[in-house]
Amino acid sequence: TRWYVEVLNNAVLLDALWTSLKVAVSAVLISAAIGTLAAVQIVRVRGSMRSFNLGMISVPLFLPPLVLGLSIIVGLHALGIQRGLWTIIAGHTILTLPVVTLLILVRLEGLDRNQETAAMDLGARPWRAFLTISVPQALPGILAGVMIAFAISLDEFILTFLVTGSQQTLPLYIFSSLRIRVTPALNAISALMLGASFALLTIGALIATGRERLRGRARTSG
């Protein structure tokens, strides 16, 4: 276990880890806020507009990170924006937003909008009815999306490599270290990242499916 201790004593590695955490947390929070509003809008629209919205929000899922990163670089150059921490956050937000939105959308599809309407009939403003009725019921989808998006952001390399400035995330640190030599410390940090990603994905999947199983059992017993 001494290599795990060495990882914890490596200041450069810890700085890269801290940058990765800042990027992941920022991107996930932005994706959760925008994704929730987008999912609510999509679930309340029918017809061709719904298909168009679903297609637009899903585009980043079908683009390779290389193409997505090059597109962001072209856009930043056209706007005269220098690459840095916020460009990494923007790139990761674009990458994780579809995942969060679609998971929340799946959850919202099964909700009864009459509850929100009843709350407004009883005097609640639309925003209050949304926050007190719809958001709590969609919370499992939001949490699942946050967990999975965090794991995706923490492990992303290609997109980060293209849009970063002087900042170095943990995947970039591992890549630059591998170009010099492979040490057991890199194996240790890779094992920790693999374990953390697997745990987050598992928790997200359990949150996404756990509530549906409880509802199914409730219907069966009823």
Side-chain angles (χ1 to χ4, degrees), residues 86-144:
W86 284 106
T87 59
I88 303 176
I89 294 174
H92 284 219
T93 301
I94 295 173
L95 186 66
T96 57
L97 179 59
V99 177
V100 177
T101 303
L102 293 177
L103 284 172
I104 297 174
L105 179 62
V106 170
R107 177 60 187 169
L108 289 176
E109 288 285 4
L111 299 184
D112 185 4
R113 287 193 59 194
N114 291 328
Q115 298 179 14
E116 193 172 325
T117 303
M120 289 188 286
D121 288 341
L122 294 174
R125 295 181 179 273
W127 63 267
R128 185 174 182 181
F130 170 71
L131 292 177
T132 57
I133 302 297
S134 298
V135 171
Q137 296 185 72
L139 191 58
I142 297 174
L143 292 178

Side-chain angles (χ1 to χ4, degrees), residues 178-192:
L178 286 173
R179 299 178 65 183
I180 301 174
R181 64 190 179 96
V182 178
T183 67
L186 292 179
N187 295 333
I189 190 61
S190 299
L192 291 174

Side-chain angles (χ1 to χ4, degrees), residues 23 72-73 76 81-94 159-160 162-167:
V23 170
I72 294 175
I73 291 176
L76 293 175
I81 300 176
Q82 297 295 324
R83 284 178 285 179
L85 181 64
W86 284 106
T87 59
I88 303 176
I89 294 174
H92 284 219
T93 301
I94 295 173
L159 178 64
T160 307
L162 292 174
V163 302
T164 188
S166 58
Q167 287 75 19

Side-chain angles (χ1 to χ4, degrees), residues 140-180:
I142 297 174
L143 292 178
V146 164
M147 292 290 183
I148 296 175
F150 188 87
I152 293 173
S153 176
L154 193 64
D155 291 341
E156 179 56 36
F157 169 75
I158 298 177
L159 178 64
T160 307
F161 182 79
L162 292 174
V163 302
T164 188
S166 58
Q167 287 75 19
Q168 188 177 49
T169 62
L170 188 56
L172 294 181
Y173 171 84
I174 294 175
F175 175 74
S176 61
S177 299
L178 286 173
R179 299 178 65 183
I180 301 174

Side-chain angles (χ1 to χ4, degrees), residues 37-56:
L37 296 177
V40 170
Q41 192 274 338
I42 292 174
V43 80
R44 297 182 179 183
V45 175
R46 292 292 181 267
S48 58
M49 182 58 66
R50 174 187 173 91
S51 300
F52 175 78
N53 291 337
L54 277 173
M56 291 298 297

